[in-house]
C-alpha cells in the first residue's frame, strides 16, 4: 500500500486515509465579473495535466482532515514531497534534490 | 431504551450487541463495549488554543495524535484545531461550564455523546485484531502508549487510542458499530 506523508500529522499514513483534491496553486480570480466566459471556463476547467511532476492538493480525510499540497510524479505515481497549504511551490532544484 | 442489567441498576442500552464469537474463552484478546460516556467535539482556532486552555482549565494537548488524561476527562488532539473530549456521563455539565469560561473568541463545543460507541480490546492479540481492518503500524515505536488518531477500519472511520501496551480503545459512529464488529468477528475466526 502506498504511504503518503501528511505535513500536518508529520507521519506517513496509508493512502486509504487520503482523498485527491485536484491541481494545486490555482488562484481564484480576484474579480470574476471582469472575466469573459472563456476566461472563467479556463479557470474552472482547464488544468495542466502534465506528464511527470504534478503539483496537487490532497486532503487527509480520515486523519487530521486538513488539506495540503503534494508533488507527485504522474508517470511513476511516486510522491516526491508534501507541504502545507499556503507554502510556496517548491523550486525545481528542491524537487530534483528530493528525487535524487 | 433503558434495560435492567444483571446488577439490577439502570443501564443505557447503547444499541450494540457483541456477538458470541467474539467472547470465546480461548481468545488472546477481550472485547468489551465501553459504558455510556459524554463526548464533545471541540474546535478552537490554532491562534486561540493557549488562551482557551488557560481560561477553561482544560489542558489541551497541542500536538496532533497526542492525548491528555486528567481527573475529569480524556482529551485527544485529532487535528491542530480539533479535539475529542471523553468524560464520565455525569461530567457533561462540568465540561460545558469550563469551556464557557472562555469568552474572547468564537469556538465550538458540540455534544456528540451518543454519536459514538466505544470498544476496548485488551490482551496479547489486541494489536493483531486492530490490524484486521486497519493498516497502521501498531508497533510500540510507531504507535506508543497514549497515542490517538483518526483512521480507517476497513470502510468505517474510527478513532484509535492506545491507553496501555496491550489495550486499544476504538471510537466508532454508532451506525458503523455492527459493521466493525462483524469485521472483528471474521478476523477472530480467521486467527
Amino acid at each position: 500500500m502506498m504511504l503518503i506523508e501528511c505535513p500536518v500529522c508529520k507521519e506517513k499514513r496509508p493512502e486509504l486515509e487520503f482523498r485527491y483534491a485536484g491541481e494545486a496553486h490555482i488562484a481564484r480570480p480576484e474579480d470574476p465579473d471582469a472575466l469573459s466566459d472563456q476566461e472563467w471556463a479556463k479557470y474552472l476547467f482547464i488544468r495542466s495535466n502534465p506528464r511527470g511532476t504534478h503539483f496537487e492538493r490532497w486532503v487527509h480525510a480520515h486523519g487530521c482532515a486538513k488539506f495540503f499540497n503534494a508533488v507527485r510524479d504522474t508517470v511513476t505515481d511516486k510522491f516526491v514531497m508534501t507541504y502545507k497549504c499556503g507554502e510556496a511551490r517548491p523550486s525545481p532544484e528542491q524537487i530534483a534534490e528530493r528525487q535524487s | 431504551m433503558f434495560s435492567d442489567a444483571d446488577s439490577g441498576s439502570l443501564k443505557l442500552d447503547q444499541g450494540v450487541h457483541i456477538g458470541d464469537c467474539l467472547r470465546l474463552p480461548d481468545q488472546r484478546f477481550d472485547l468489551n463495549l465501553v459504558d455510556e460516556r459524554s463526548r464533545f467535539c471541540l474546535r478552537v482556532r490554532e491562534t486561540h488554543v493557549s488562551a482557551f486552555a488557560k481560561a477553561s482549565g482544560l489542558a489541551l494537548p497541542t500536538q496532533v495524535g497526542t492525548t491528555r488524561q486528567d481527573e475529569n476527562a480524556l482529551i485527544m488532539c485529532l487535528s491542530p484545531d480539533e479535539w475529542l473530549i471523553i468524560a464520565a456521563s455525569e461530567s457533561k455539565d462540568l465540561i460545558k461550564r469550563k469551556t464557557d469560561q472562555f469568552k474572547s473568541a468564537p469556538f465550538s463545543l458540540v455534544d456528540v455523546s451518543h454519536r459514538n460507541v466505544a470498544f476496548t480490546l485488551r490482551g496479547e492479540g489486541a494489536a493483531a485484531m486492530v490490524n484486521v481492518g486497519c493498516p497502521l503500524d501498531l508497533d510500540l515505536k510507531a504507535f506508543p502508549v497514549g497515542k490517538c488518531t483518526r483512521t480507517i477500519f476497513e470502510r468505517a472511520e474510527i478513532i484509535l487510542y492506545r491507553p496501555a501496551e496491550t489495550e486499544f480503545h476504538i471510537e466508532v459512529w454508532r451506525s458503523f458499530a455492527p459493521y466493525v464488529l462483524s469485521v472483528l468477528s471474521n478476523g477472530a475466526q480467521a486467527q
Side-chain angles (χ1 to χ4, degrees):
Chain A
M1 187 182 300
M2 186 160 64
L3 299 177
I4 301 173
E5 179 157 355
C6 171
V8 179
C9 301
K10 299 185 179 69
E11 257 183 61
K12 285 198 168 182
R13 303 292 286 264
E15 59 173 305
L16 298 172
E17 295 184 4
F18 296 85
R19 296 282 180 277
Y20 177 68
E23 190 172 350
H25 303 293
I26 292 177
R28 184 182 165 89
E30 291 283 338
D31 183 8
D33 283 350
L35 263 55
S36 69
D37 285 353
Q38 268 173 350
E39 285 167 326
W40 185 245
K42 189 171 174 229
Y43 158 68
L44 285 182
F45 306 118
I46 308 300
R47 296 293 179 260
S48 60
N49 193 26
R51 183 179 191 280
T53 302
H54 189 221
F55 299 90
E56 53 199 19
R57 295 195 312 157
W58 284 76
V59 58
H60 194 181
H62 300 294
C64 61
K66 294 290 180 200
F67 281 83
F68 61 91
N69 293 336
V71 183
R72 184 178 59 97
D73 191 306
T74 56
V75 179
T76 61
D77 199 25
K78 286 228 168 79
F79 277 73
V80 181
M81 60 195 296
T82 57
Y83 52 103
K84 284 184 184 172
C85 279
E87 289 178 7
R89 188 194 293 246
S91 65
E93 293 79 33
Q94 282 173 306
I95 293 168
E97 192 185 317
R98 287 295 193 101
Q99 277 173 326
S100 62
Chain B
M1 192 150 188
F2 287 91
S3 64
D4 278 320
D6 294 340
S7 61
S9 61
L10 280 178
K11 210 173 170 189
L12 183 77
D13 177 3
Q14 299 195 81
V16 176
H17 175 67
I18 296 177
D20 291 337
C21 56
L22 282 162
R23 293 237 181 262
L24 298 177
D26 60 336
Q27 297 286 355
R28 289 175 302 123
F29 66 91
D30 184 25
L31 180 82
N32 287 299
L33 185 65
V34 175
D35 283 342
E36 196 195 0
R37 291 277 189 277
S38 56
R39 299 178 176 88
F40 293 94
C41 175
L42 172 70
R43 305 295 302 257
V44 184
R45 270 180 204 256
E46 285 175 68
T47 44
H48 299 139
V49 173
S50 53
F52 180 90
K54 210 171 170 187
S56 66
L58 290 171
L60 298 181
T62 49
Q63 205 184 329
V64 178
T66 55
T67 53
R68 195 160 292 165
Q69 169 92 61
D70 63 19
E71 68 278 14
N72 296 317
L74 169 70
I75 307 179
M76 303 182 184
C77 182
L78 301 176
S79 179
D81 58 0
E82 183 181 355
W83 292 264
L84 179 71
I85 303 176
I86 303 177
S89 49
E90 56 274 16
S91 302
K92 202 172 265 188
D93 292 334
L94 176 77
I95 304 288
K96 281 182 191 158
R97 269 203 312 278
K98 277 173 168 272
T99 53
D100 280 345
Q101 301 298 313
F102 181 68
K103 299 189 193 304
S104 50
F107 68 94
S108 123
L109 181 79
V110 180
D111 184 342
V112 293
S113 303
H114 295 167
R115 182 188 70 179
N116 293 11
V117 290
F119 304 111
T120 51
L121 265 166
R122 277 195 203 93
E124 288 300 311
M129 282 309 291
V130 174
N131 277 144
V132 163
C134 171
L136 285 186
D137 181 0
L138 298 178
D139 188 274
L140 275 168
K141 282 195 227 78
F143 206 95
V145 172
K147 188 178 164 76
C148 74
T149 184
R150 188 157 38 204
T151 184
I152 202 151
F153 188 90
E154 284 284 339
R155 303 305 296 161
E157 187 175 284
I158 60 164
I159 293 170
L160 185 66
Y161 165 55
R162 184 175 215 162
E165 212 165 297
T166 55
E167 181 177 344
F168 289 90
H169 178 106
I170 299 174
E171 289 274 326
V172 59
W173 284 19
R174 179 187 307 278
S175 57
F176 294 155
Y179 169 74
V180 168
L181 282 175
S182 74
V183 175
L184 283 171
S185 145
N186 286 339
Q189 283 161 353
Q191 277 185 3

